[in-house]
Coordinates of all heavy atoms in Angstrom, one line a residue:
M9 N 343.9 139.9 -74.2 CA 343.4 138.8 -74.9 C 343.3 137.7 -73.9 O 344.1 137.4 -73.2 CB 344.3 138.4 -76.0 CG 344.1 137.0 -76.6 SD 345.3 136.4 -77.7 CE 344.6 136.8 -79.2
I10 N 342.1 137.1 -73.9 CA 341.9 136.0 -73.0 C 342.1 134.7 -73.7 O 341.6 134.5 -74.9 CB 340.3 136.0 -72.6 CG1 340.1 137.3 -71.7 CG2 340.0 134.8 -71.7 CD1 338.7 137.4 -71.2
L11 N 343.0 133.9 -73.2 CA 343.2 132.6 -73.7 C 342.4 131.6 -73.1 O 342.0 131.7 -72.0 CB 344.7 132.2 -73.5 CG 345.7 133.1 -74.1 CD1 347.1 132.7 -73.7 CD2 345.6 133.2 -75.6
F12 N 342.0 130.5 -73.8 CA 341.3 129.4 -73.2 C 342.1 128.2 -73.2 O 343.0 127.9 -74.0 CB 340.0 129.2 -74.1 CG 339.0 130.2 -73.9 CD1 339.0 131.3 -74.7 CD2 338.0 130.1 -72.9 CE1 338.0 132.3 -74.6 CE2 337.1 131.1 -72.8 CZ 337.1 132.2 -73.7
M13 N 342.1 127.5 -72.1 CA 342.7 126.3 -71.9 C 341.8 125.1 -71.9 O 340.7 125.1 -71.3 CB 343.3 126.3 -70.5 CG 344.4 127.3 -70.3 SD 345.1 127.5 -68.7 CE 345.6 125.8 -68.4
H14 N 342.2 124.1 -72.7 CA 341.3 122.8 -72.7 C 341.5 122.2 -71.4 O 342.6 121.8 -71.0 CB 341.7 121.9 -73.9 CG 341.4 122.5 -75.2 ND1 342.2 123.3 -75.9 CD2 340.1 122.3 -75.9 CE1 341.5 123.6 -77.0 NE2 340.4 123.1 -77.1
K15 N 340.4 121.7 -70.8 CA 340.4 120.9 -69.5 C 339.8 119.5 -69.9 O 338.7 119.4 -70.5 CB 339.6 121.5 -68.5 CG 340.2 122.7 -67.9 CD 341.4 122.6 -67.1 CE 341.8 123.9 -66.5 NZ 343.0 123.7 -65.6
I16 N 340.6 118.4 -69.7 CA 340.0 117.1 -69.9 C 339.8 116.4 -68.7 O 340.8 116.4 -67.8 CB 341.1 116.3 -70.9 CG1 341.3 117.1 -72.2 CG2 340.6 115.0 -71.2 CD1 342.5 116.6 -73.0
R17 N 338.6 115.9 -68.5 CA 338.2 115.2 -67.3 C 337.6 113.9 -67.6 O 336.9 113.7 -68.6 CB 337.2 116.1 -66.5 CG 337.9 117.4 -65.9 CD 336.9 118.2 -65.2 NE 337.5 119.4 -64.6 CZ 337.4 120.6 -65.3 NH1 336.9 120.7 -66.4 NH2 338.0 121.5 -64.7
Y18 N 337.8 113.0 -66.7 CA 337.0 111.8 -66.8 C 335.5 111.9 -66.6 O 335.0 112.8 -65.9 CB 337.5 110.7 -65.7 CG 338.8 110.1 -66.1 CD1 340.0 110.7 -65.5 CD2 339.0 109.0 -66.9 CE1 341.2 110.1 -65.8 CE2 340.2 108.5 -67.2 CZ 341.4 109.1 -66.7 OH 342.5 108.6 -66.9
N19 N 334.7 111.2 -67.4 CA 333.2 111.5 -67.4 C 332.6 110.3 -66.6 O 331.6 109.7 -67.1 CB 332.8 111.5 -68.9 CG 331.4 112.0 -69.0 OD1 330.9 112.7 -68.1 ND2 330.7 111.6 -70.0
M20 N 333.0 109.9 -65.4 CA 332.6 108.7 -64.8 C 331.2 108.8 -64.2 O 330.5 107.8 -64.3 CB 333.6 108.4 -63.7 CG 335.1 108.1 -64.1 SD 335.1 106.8 -65.4 CE 334.7 105.4 -64.4
Q21 N 330.8 109.8 -63.8 CA 329.3 109.9 -63.3 C 328.3 109.6 -64.4 O 327.5 108.7 -64.2 CB 329.0 111.3 -62.7 CG 329.9 111.7 -61.5 CD 329.7 110.8 -60.3 OE1 328.7 110.2 -60.2 NE2 330.7 110.8 -59.4
Q22 N 328.5 110.2 -65.6 CA 327.6 109.9 -66.7 C 327.8 108.4 -67.2 O 326.8 107.8 -67.5 CB 327.8 110.9 -67.8 CG 326.7 110.8 -68.8 CD 325.3 111.1 -68.3 OE1 325.1 112.1 -67.6 NE2 324.4 110.3 -68.6
L23 N 329.0 108.0 -67.2 CA 329.3 106.6 -67.6 C 328.5 105.6 -66.7 O 327.9 104.7 -67.2 CB 330.7 106.3 -67.6 CG 331.2 105.0 -68.1 CD1 332.6 105.2 -68.8 CD2 331.3 104.0 -67.0
R24 N 328.6 105.9 -65.4 CA 327.9 105.0 -64.4 C 326.3 105.1 -64.7 O 325.7 104.0 -64.6 CB 328.3 105.4 -63.1 CG 327.6 104.5 -62.1 CD 328.0 104.9 -60.6 NE 327.3 104.2 -59.6 CZ 327.0 104.8 -58.4 NH1 327.6 105.9 -58.0 NH2 326.4 104.0 -57.5
I25 N 325.8 106.3 -64.8 CA 324.4 106.4 -65.0 C 324.0 105.5 -66.4 O 323.0 104.8 -66.3 CB 323.9 107.8 -65.3 CG1 324.1 108.5 -63.8 CG2 322.6 108.0 -65.8 CD1 324.0 110.0 -63.9
N26 N 324.7 105.6 -67.4 CA 324.4 105.0 -68.6 C 324.5 103.5 -68.5 O 323.8 102.7 -69.0 CB 325.3 105.5 -69.7 CG 324.9 107.0 -70.2 OD1 323.9 107.5 -69.7 ND2 325.8 107.6 -70.9
L27 N 325.6 103.1 -67.9 CA 325.8 101.7 -67.6 C 324.6 101.0 -66.8 O 324.2 100.0 -67.2 CB 327.2 101.5 -66.9 CG 327.5 100.0 -66.5 CD1 327.7 99.2 -67.8 CD2 328.9 100.0 -65.8
Q28 N 324.2 101.6 -65.7 CA 323.1 101.2 -65.0 C 321.8 101.1 -65.7 O 321.1 100.2 -65.7 CB 322.9 102.0 -63.7 CG 324.1 101.8 -62.8 CD 323.9 102.7 -61.5 OE1 324.0 102.2 -60.5 NE2 323.5 104.0 -61.7
Y29 N 321.7 102.1 -66.6 CA 320.4 102.1 -67.5 C 320.4 101.0 -68.4 O 319.4 100.2 -68.7 CB 320.3 103.4 -68.2 CG 319.2 103.5 -69.1 CD1 317.9 103.7 -68.7 CD2 319.5 103.4 -70.6 CE1 316.8 103.8 -69.5 CE2 318.3 103.5 -71.4 CZ 317.1 103.7 -71.0 OH 316.0 103.7 -71.8
K30 N 321.6 100.8 -69.2 CA 321.7 99.9 -70.2 C 321.6 98.4 -69.5 O 321.1 97.5 -70.2 CB 323.0 100.0 -71.0 CG 323.0 101.2 -71.7 CD 322.1 101.1 -73.0 CE 322.3 102.3 -73.9 NZ 321.7 102.2 -75.2
S31 N 322.2 98.2 -68.4 CA 322.3 96.8 -67.8 C 321.0 96.6 -67.1 O 320.7 95.4 -66.8 CB 323.5 96.8 -66.9 OG 323.4 97.5 -65.7
G32 N 320.2 97.6 -66.7 CA 319.0 97.4 -66.0 C 319.3 97.0 -64.5 O 318.4 96.6 -63.8
K33 N 320.5 97.3 -63.9 CA 320.7 97.1 -62.5 C 321.6 98.2 -61.9 O 322.4 98.8 -62.6 CB 321.3 95.7 -62.2 CG 322.6 95.4 -62.8 CD 323.1 94.0 -62.6 CE 324.4 93.7 -63.2 NZ 324.9 92.5 -62.9
E34 N 321.4 98.3 -60.6 CA 322.2 99.3 -59.8 C 323.7 98.7 -59.6 O 323.7 97.6 -59.4 CB 321.6 99.5 -58.4 CG 320.3 100.3 -58.5 CD 320.5 101.8 -58.7 OE1 321.4 102.4 -58.3 OE2 319.6 102.2 -59.5
M35 N 324.6 99.6 -59.8 CA 326.0 99.2 -59.6 C 326.8 100.2 -58.8 O 326.7 101.4 -59.0 CB 326.8 99.1 -60.9 CG 326.2 97.8 -61.8 SD 327.3 97.7 -63.2 CE 326.2 96.8 -64.3
S36 N 327.4 99.7 -57.8 CA 328.3 100.6 -57.0 C 329.7 100.8 -57.7 O 330.0 100.0 -58.7 CB 328.5 100.1 -55.7 OG 329.3 98.9 -55.7
W37 N 330.4 101.8 -57.4 CA 331.7 102.0 -57.9 C 332.5 100.8 -57.7 O 333.3 100.4 -58.6 CB 332.4 103.3 -57.3 CG 331.7 104.5 -57.8 CD1 331.1 105.5 -57.0 CD2 331.6 105.0 -59.1 NE1 330.7 106.5 -57.7 CE2 330.9 106.2 -59.1 CE3 332.0 104.5 -60.4 CZ2 330.7 106.9 -60.3 CZ3 331.7 105.2 -61.5 CH2 331.1 106.5 -61.5
N38 N 332.4 100.2 -56.5 CA 333.1 98.9 -56.1 C 332.8 97.8 -57.2 O 333.6 97.1 -57.6 CB 332.6 98.5 -54.7 CG 333.9 98.2 -53.9 OD1 335.0 98.5 -54.2 ND2 333.7 97.6 -52.8
D39 N 331.5 97.7 -57.3 CA 331.0 96.6 -58.3 C 331.6 96.8 -59.7 O 332.0 95.8 -60.3 CB 329.5 96.7 -58.5 CG 328.7 96.3 -57.3 OD1 329.2 95.6 -56.3 OD2 327.5 96.8 -57.1
I40 N 331.7 98.0 -60.1 CA 332.3 98.3 -61.5 C 333.7 98.1 -61.5 O 334.3 97.4 -62.4 CB 331.8 99.7 -61.9 CG1 330.3 99.9 -62.0 CG2 332.6 100.1 -63.2 CD1 330.0 101.4 -62.2
A41 N 334.4 98.6 -60.5 CA 335.8 98.3 -60.4 C 336.2 96.8 -60.3 O 337.1 96.4 -61.1 CB 336.5 99.0 -59.3
E42 N 335.5 96.1 -59.5 CA 335.8 94.7 -59.4 C 335.4 93.9 -60.7 O 336.2 93.1 -61.2 CB 334.9 94.2 -58.2 CG 335.3 92.7 -57.9 CD 334.5 92.1 -56.6 OE1 334.7 92.9 -55.7 OE2 333.8 91.2 -56.8
G43 N 334.3 94.3 -61.2 CA 333.8 93.6 -62.5 C 334.8 93.9 -63.6 O 335.1 93.0 -64.5
A44 N 335.4 95.0 -63.7 CA 336.3 95.4 -64.8 C 337.7 95.0 -64.5 O 338.6 95.2 -65.4 CB 336.2 96.9 -65.0
G45 N 338.0 94.6 -63.3 CA 339.4 94.2 -62.9 C 340.3 95.4 -62.7 O 341.4 95.4 -63.1
I46 N 339.7 96.5 -62.2 CA 340.4 97.7 -61.9 C 340.4 97.9 -60.5 O 339.4 97.6 -59.6 CB 339.6 99.0 -62.6 CG1 339.5 98.7 -64.0 CG2 340.2 100.3 -62.1 CD1 338.6 99.7 -64.9
T47 N 341.5 98.4 -59.9 CA 341.6 98.7 -58.5 C 340.7 99.8 -58.0 O 340.3 100.7 -58.9 CB 343.1 99.1 -58.2 OG1 343.4 100.4 -58.7 CG2 344.1 98.0 -58.6
Q48 N 340.3 99.7 -56.8 CA 339.4 100.9 -56.2 C 340.2 102.2 -56.3 O 339.5 103.2 -56.4 CB 339.1 100.4 -54.9 CG 338.2 99.3 -54.7 CD 337.8 99.0 -53.3 OE1 338.1 99.6 -52.4 NE2 337.0 97.8 -53.1
R49 N 341.5 102.1 -56.1 CA 342.3 103.4 -56.2 C 342.2 104.0 -57.5 O 342.0 105.2 -57.7 CB 343.7 103.0 -55.7 CG 344.6 104.3 -55.7 CD 346.0 103.9 -55.4 NE 346.8 105.1 -55.2 CZ 347.7 105.3 -54.4 NH1 348.1 104.3 -53.6 NH2 348.4 106.5 -54.4
T50 N 342.3 103.1 -58.5 CA 342.2 103.8 -59.9 C 340.8 104.3 -60.1 O 340.6 105.4 -60.7 CB 342.5 102.6 -60.9 OG1 343.8 102.3 -60.8 CG2 342.2 103.1 -62.4
M51 N 339.8 103.6 -59.7 CA 338.4 104.1 -59.9 C 338.2 105.3 -59.2 O 337.7 106.3 -59.6 CB 337.4 103.0 -59.4 CG 335.9 103.3 -59.7 SD 335.4 103.6 -61.4 CE 335.5 101.9 -61.9
Y52 N 338.7 105.5 -57.9 CA 338.6 106.7 -57.1 C 339.3 107.8 -57.9 O 338.8 108.9 -58.0 CB 339.3 106.6 -55.8 CG 339.2 107.8 -55.0 CD1 338.2 108.1 -54.1 CD2 340.3 108.6 -55.1 CE1 338.1 109.3 -53.4 CE2 340.3 109.9 -54.2 CZ 339.2 110.1 -53.5 OH 339.3 111.3 -52.7
S53 N 340.5 107.6 -58.5 CA 341.2 108.6 -59.2 C 340.5 109.1 -60.4 O 340.4 110.3 -60.8 CB 342.6 108.2 -59.7 OG 343.4 107.8 -58.5
W54 N 339.8 108.2 -61.2 CA 339.0 108.6 -62.3 C 337.8 109.4 -61.8 O 337.5 110.4 -62.4 CB 338.5 107.3 -63.0 CG 339.5 106.5 -63.8 CD1 340.9 106.9 -64.0 CD2 339.3 105.4 -64.5 NE1 341.5 106.0 -64.8 CE2 340.6 105.0 -65.1 CE3 338.2 104.5 -64.7 CZ2 340.7 103.9 -65.9 CZ3 338.4 103.4 -65.6 CH2 339.6 103.1 -66.1
I55 N 337.1 109.0 -60.8 CA 335.9 109.6 -60.4 C 336.2 111.2 -60.0 O 335.4 112.0 -60.3 CB 335.2 108.9 -59.1 CG1 334.7 107.5 -59.6 CG2 334.1 109.7 -58.6 CD1 334.4 106.5 -58.5
H56 N 337.3 111.2 -59.2 CA 337.7 112.5 -58.7 C 338.8 113.3 -59.5 O 339.3 114.3 -59.1 CB 338.1 112.3 -57.3 CG 337.1 111.8 -56.4 ND1 336.1 112.5 -55.9 CD2 336.9 110.6 -55.8 CE1 335.2 111.9 -55.2 NE2 335.8 110.6 -55.1
N57 N 338.9 112.8 -60.8 CA 339.9 113.4 -61.7 C 341.2 113.7 -61.0 O 341.7 114.7 -61.1 CB 339.3 114.7 -62.3 CG 338.1 114.3 -63.3 OD1 338.5 113.8 -64.3 ND2 337.0 114.7 -62.9
K58 N 341.7 112.7 -60.4 CA 343.1 112.8 -59.7 C 344.2 112.3 -60.4 O 345.3 112.1 -59.8 CB 343.0 112.2 -58.3 CG 341.9 112.8 -57.4 CD 342.3 114.1 -56.9 CE 341.2 114.7 -55.9 NZ 341.5 116.0 -55.6
T59 N 344.0 112.0 -61.7 CA 345.1 111.3 -62.5 C 345.2 112.0 -63.8 O 344.2 112.6 -64.3 CB 344.9 109.8 -62.7 OG1 346.0 109.4 -63.4 CG2 343.7 109.5 -63.4
S60 N 346.4 112.2 -64.2 CA 346.6 112.8 -65.6 C 347.2 111.8 -66.5 O 347.5 112.0 -67.8 CB 347.6 114.0 -65.5 OG 348.8 113.6 -64.9
R61 N 347.4 110.6 -66.1 CA 348.0 109.5 -66.8 C 346.8 108.6 -67.3 O 346.0 108.2 -66.5 CB 349.0 108.7 -66.1 CG 349.7 107.6 -66.8 CD 350.8 107.0 -65.9 NE 350.2 106.0 -65.0 CZ 349.8 104.7 -65.3 NH1 349.9 104.3 -66.5 NH2 349.3 104.0 -64.4
V62 N 346.9 108.2 -68.6 CA 345.9 107.3 -69.1 C 346.6 105.9 -69.4 O 347.6 105.9 -70.1 CB 345.3 107.9 -70.4 CG1 344.2 107.0 -71.0 CG2 344.5 109.1 -70.1
D63 N 346.1 104.9 -68.8 CA 346.6 103.6 -69.0 C 345.6 102.8 -70.1 O 344.5 102.6 -69.7 CB 346.7 102.8 -67.7 CG 347.2 101.4 -67.9 OD1 346.5 100.5 -68.2 OD2 348.5 101.3 -67.9
M64 N 346.1 102.6 -71.2 CA 345.2 102.0 -72.3 C 344.7 100.7 -71.9 O 343.5 100.4 -72.3 CB 345.9 102.0 -73.6 CG 346.3 103.3 -74.1 SD 344.8 104.3 -74.1 CE 345.1 105.3 -75.6
D65 N 345.5 99.8 -71.2 CA 345.0 98.5 -70.8 C 343.8 98.5 -69.8 O 342.9 97.8 -69.9 CB 346.1 97.6 -70.2 CG 347.1 97.2 -71.3 OD1 346.7 97.2 -72.5 OD2 348.4 97.0 -70.9
T66 N 344.0 99.5 -68.9 CA 342.9 99.7 -67.9 C 341.6 100.2 -68.6 O 340.6 99.7 -68.3 CB 343.4 100.7 -66.8 OG1 344.6 100.2 -66.3 CG2 342.3 100.8 -65.7
L67 N 341.8 101.2 -69.5 CA 340.6 101.7 -70.3 C 340.0 100.6 -71.1 O 338.7 100.5 -71.1 CB 341.0 102.8 -71.2 CG 341.2 104.1 -70.4 CD1 341.6 105.2 -71.5 CD2 340.0 104.7 -69.6
A68 N 340.8 99.6 -71.7 CA 340.3 98.6 -72.4 C 339.5 97.6 -71.6 O 338.4 97.1 -71.9 CB 341.4 97.8 -73.1
R69 N 339.9 97.4 -70.4 CA 339.1 96.6 -69.4 C 337.8 97.1 -69.1 O 336.8 96.4 -69.0 CB 339.9 96.3 -68.1 CG 341.1 95.2 -68.3 CD 341.7 94.7 -67.1 NE 342.2 95.6 -66.2 CZ 343.5 96.1 -66.1 NH1 344.3 95.7 -67.0 NH2 343.9 97.0 -65.4
M70 N 337.8 98.4 -68.9 CA 336.6 99.1 -68.6 C 335.6 99.0 -69.8 O 334.4 98.8 -69.7 CB 336.8 100.6 -68.3 CG 335.7 101.3 -67.6 SD 335.2 100.5 -66.1 CE 333.8 101.7 -65.8
L71 N 336.1 99.2 -71.0 CA 335.3 99.1 -72.2 C 334.7 97.7 -72.4 O 333.6 97.5 -72.7 CB 336.2 99.3 -73.5 CG 336.5 100.7 -73.9 CD1 337.5 100.8 -74.8 CD2 335.3 101.5 -74.3
D72 N 335.6 96.6 -72.1 CA 335.1 95.3 -72.1 C 334.0 95.1 -71.1 O 332.9 94.4 -71.4 CB 336.1 94.3 -71.9 CG 337.2 94.2 -73.0 OD1 336.9 94.7 -74.1 OD2 338.3 93.8 -72.8
F73 N 334.2 95.6 -69.9 CA 333.1 95.5 -68.8 C 331.7 96.1 -69.3 O 330.7 95.6 -69.1 CB 333.6 96.0 -67.5 CG 332.6 96.0 -66.5 CD1 332.3 94.9 -65.8 CD2 331.8 97.1 -66.0 CE1 331.4 94.7 -64.8 CE2 330.9 97.0 -65.1 CZ 330.7 95.9 -64.4
C74 N 331.9 97.3 -69.8 CA 330.7 97.9 -70.3 C 330.0 97.3 -71.4 O 328.7 97.1 -71.4 CB 330.9 99.4 -70.7 SG 331.5 100.5 -69.3
H75 N 330.7 96.8 -72.3 CA 330.2 96.0 -73.4 C 329.5 94.7 -73.0 O 328.5 94.4 -73.5 CB 331.3 95.7 -74.5 CG 331.7 96.9 -75.3 ND1 332.1 96.8 -76.6 CD2 331.6 98.3 -75.1 CE1 332.3 98.0 -77.2 NE2 332.1 98.9 -76.2
S76 N 330.2 94.2 -72.0 CA 329.6 92.8 -71.5 C 328.2 93.1 -70.8 O 327.5 92.1 -70.6 CB 330.5 92.2 -70.6 OG 330.7 92.7 -69.4
H77 N 327.9 94.4 -70.4 CA 326.7 94.7 -69.7 C 325.7 95.4 -70.6 O 324.8 96.2 -70.2 CB 327.0 95.4 -68.5 CG 327.5 94.6 -67.4 ND1 328.8 94.2 -67.3 CD2 326.9 93.9 -66.4 CE1 329.0 93.5 -66.2 NE2 327.8 93.3 -65.6
G78 N 326.1 95.4 -72.0 CA 325.0 96.0 -72.9 C 325.3 97.5 -73.2 O 324.5 98.0 -74.0
Y79 N 326.4 98.0 -72.7 CA 326.6 99.5 -72.9 C 327.8 99.5 -73.9 O 328.9 99.3 -73.6 CB 326.9 100.1 -71.6 CG 327.2 101.7 -71.7 CD1 326.7 102.4 -72.7 CD2 327.9 102.3 -70.8 CE1 326.9 103.8 -72.8 CE2 328.2 103.7 -70.9 CZ 327.7 104.3 -71.8 OH 327.9 105.7 -71.9
K80 N 327.5 99.8 -75.1 CA 328.5 99.9 -76.2 C 329.2 101.2 -76.3 O 329.0 102.0 -77.1 CB 327.8 99.6 -77.6 CG 327.1 98.3 -77.7 CD 328.0 97.1 -77.4 CE 327.2 95.8 -77.5 NZ 327.8 94.7 -76.7
I81 N 330.0 101.4 -75.2 CA 330.7 102.7 -75.0 C 331.9 102.7 -75.9 O 332.4 101.7 -76.3 CB 331.2 102.7 -73.5 CG1 331.7 104.1 -73.2 CG2 332.1 101.6 -73.2 CD1 332.0 104.3 -71.6
E82 N 332.2 103.9 -76.2 CA 333.5 104.2 -77.0 C 334.4 104.9 -76.2 O 334.1 105.5 -75.2 CB 333.1 104.9 -78.3 CG 332.2 104.3 -79.3 CD 331.9 105.1 -80.5 OE1 332.6 106.1 -80.7 OE2 331.0 104.8 -81.1
L83 N 335.8 105.0 -76.5 CA 336.8 105.6 -75.9 C 336.4 107.1 -75.5 O 336.7 107.6 -74.4 CB 338.1 105.5 -76.5 CG 339.4 105.9 -75.7 CD1 339.6 105.1 -74.4 CD2 340.6 105.8 -76.6
K84 N 335.8 107.8 -76.5 CA 335.5 109.2 -76.3 C 334.5 109.5 -75.2 O 334.4 110.5 -74.6 CB 335.0 109.8 -77.6 CG 333.6 109.2 -78.0 CD 333.2 109.8 -79.4 CE 332.0 109.1 -79.9 NZ 330.7 109.4 -79.2
D85 N 333.7 108.4 -74.8 CA 332.6 108.5 -73.8 C 333.3 108.7 -72.4 O 332.7 109.0 -71.5 CB 331.7 107.3 -73.9 CG 331.0 107.3 -75.2 OD1 330.6 108.4 -75.7 OD2 330.8 106.2 -75.7
F86 N 334.6 108.3 -72.3 CA 335.3 108.3 -70.9 C 335.6 109.7 -70.5 O 335.9 110.0 -69.3 CB 336.6 107.5 -71.1 CG 336.4 106.1 -70.7 CD1 336.3 105.2 -71.7 CD2 336.3 105.6 -69.4 CE1 336.1 103.9 -71.6 CE2 336.2 104.2 -69.3 CZ 336.1 103.4 -70.3
F87 N 335.6 110.7 -71.5 CA 336.1 112.0 -71.1 C 335.2 113.1 -71.5 O 334.4 113.0 -72.5 CB 337.4 112.2 -71.9 CG 338.5 111.2 -71.7 CD1 338.6 110.2 -72.6 CD2 339.2 111.1 -70.6 CE1 339.5 109.1 -72.5 CE2 340.1 110.2 -70.4 CZ 340.4 109.1 -71.3
T88 N 335.4 114.3 -70.9 CA 334.8 115.5 -71.3 C 335.8 116.5 -71.5 O 336.8 116.5 -70.8 CB 333.7 116.1 -70.3 OG1 334.4 116.2 -69.0 CG2 332.6 115.1 -70.0
V89 N 335.6 117.4 -72.5 CA 336.5 118.4 -72.8 C 335.9 119.7 -72.7 O 334.8 119.9 -73.4 CB 337.2 118.2 -74.3 CG1 338.2 119.4 -74.5 CG2 337.8 116.8 -74.2
T90 N 336.4 120.7 -72.0 CA 335.8 122.0 -71.8 C 336.9 123.1 -72.1 O 338.1 122.7 -72.0 CB 335.2 122.3 -70.4 OG1 336.3 122.1 -69.4 CG2 334.1 121.4 -70.2
N91 N 336.6 124.2 -72.5 CA 337.5 125.3 -72.6 C 337.2 126.3 -71.5 O 336.1 126.8 -71.3 CB 337.2 126.1 -74.0 CG 337.6 125.2 -75.2 OD1 338.6 124.4 -75.1 ND2 336.7 125.3 -76.3
E92 N 338.2 126.6 -70.8 CA 338.2 127.5 -69.6 C 339.1 128.7 -69.8 O 340.1 128.5 -70.3 CB 338.4 126.7 -68.4 CG 337.4 125.6 -68.1 CD 337.7 124.8 -66.9 OE1 338.6 125.2 -66.0 OE2 336.9 123.8 -66.6
P93 N 338.7 129.8 -69.4 CA 339.5 131.0 -69.5 C 340.8 130.8 -68.7 O 340.9 130.2 -67.7 CB 338.7 132.1 -68.8 CG 337.3 131.5 -68.8 CD 337.4 130.2 -68.7
G94 N 341.9 131.2 -69.5 CA 343.2 131.1 -68.9 C 343.7 132.4 -68.5 O 342.9 133.3 -68.0
T95 N 345.0 132.7 -68.7 CA 345.6 134.0 -68.3 C 345.4 135.0 -69.3 O 345.1 134.7 -70.5 CB 347.1 133.8 -68.0 OG1 347.7 133.3 -69.1 CG2 347.3 132.8 -66.9
T96 N 345.4 136.3 -69.0 CA 345.4 137.3 -70.0 C 346.7 137.8 -70.4 O 347.6 137.9 -69.7 CB 344.6 138.6 -69.3 OG1 343.3 138.2 -68.8 CG2 344.5 139.7 -70.3
Q97 N 346.9 138.0 -71.8 CA 348.2 138.3 -72.3 C 347.9 139.6 -73.1 O 346.9 139.8 -73.8 CB 348.7 137.3 -73.3 CG 349.2 136.1 -72.6 CD 349.9 135.2 -73.5 OE1 349.8 135.2 -74.8 NE2 350.8 134.3 -73.1
S98 N 348.9 140.5 -73.1 CA 348.8 141.8 -73.8 C 349.5 141.5 -75.1 O 350.4 140.8 -75.2 CB 349.3 143.0 -73.1 OG 350.7 142.6 -72.7
P99 N 349.0 142.2 -76.2 CA 349.6 142.0 -77.6 C 351.0 142.4 -77.8 O 351.6 143.1 -77.1 CB 348.7 142.7 -78.6 CG 347.8 143.5 -77.7 CD 347.9 143.1 -76.2

C-alpha cells in the first residue's frame, strides 16, 4: 500500500506575482520584507521553505502589507498543500 504524505509549503513566488500585479509595481523580496516589517532572514526562509514554524504575528504583518497594496490576500494564500507518495507498507 502506498501512503501519501501531505507537504505544506509557503507559496511565496505566486504571492509576489499577485502582489506586483495588484499594486501595479515591481517589488523585490527586500522591498516586501522591509515594507511588511519582516526580517530578510524570515523572508528567505519562507521563499526557500526552510522553516516549519509559523509565527502568526509575522503572517499578520504580511497580510496587512498586501492589503495596503490592494491585494486582498487570505491566510490560505500563503501555503500550498500537496500529497506526495510516502513509504510502502504491507497489510
Side-chain angles (χ1 to χ4, degrees):
M9 167 191 264
I10 297 176
L11 299 177
F12 288 90
M13 298 175 51
H14 288 89
K15 296 286 185 177
I16 302 170
R17 295 181 176 93
Y18 286 94
N19 192 25
M20 297 306 292
Q21 298 294 340
Q22 190 62 49
L23 186 145
R24 181 180 172 204
I25 290 167
N26 293 345
L27 178 60
Q28 290 178 133
Y29 175 77
K30 293 287 186 176
S31 69
K33 62 180 181 177
E34 292 286 323
M35 291 186 200
S36 68
W37 290 117
N38 227 15
D39 295 335
I40 296 169
E42 187 175 304
I46 297 169
T47 66
Q48 291 178 9
R49 182 179 183 146
T50 296
M51 184 61 72
Y52 176 88
S53 295
W54 286 357
I55 294 164
H56 298 286
N57 289 292
K58 299 289 186 188
T59 183
S60 59
R61 187 177 73 82
V62 176
D63 183 271
M64 295 307 218
D65 290 334
T66 305
L67 286 177
R69 285 195 300 270
M70 191 66 180
L71 283 168
D72 291 342
F73 177 76
C74 290
H75 284 209
S76 73
H77 285 83
Y79 183 25
K80 303 301 182 201
I81 190 173
E82 297 180 19
L83 189 58
K84 66 180 174 72
D85 299 319
F86 276 96
F87 306 100
T88 58
V89 179
T90 58
N91 292 321
E92 297 181 7
T95 58
T96 303
Q97 289 186 343
S98 55

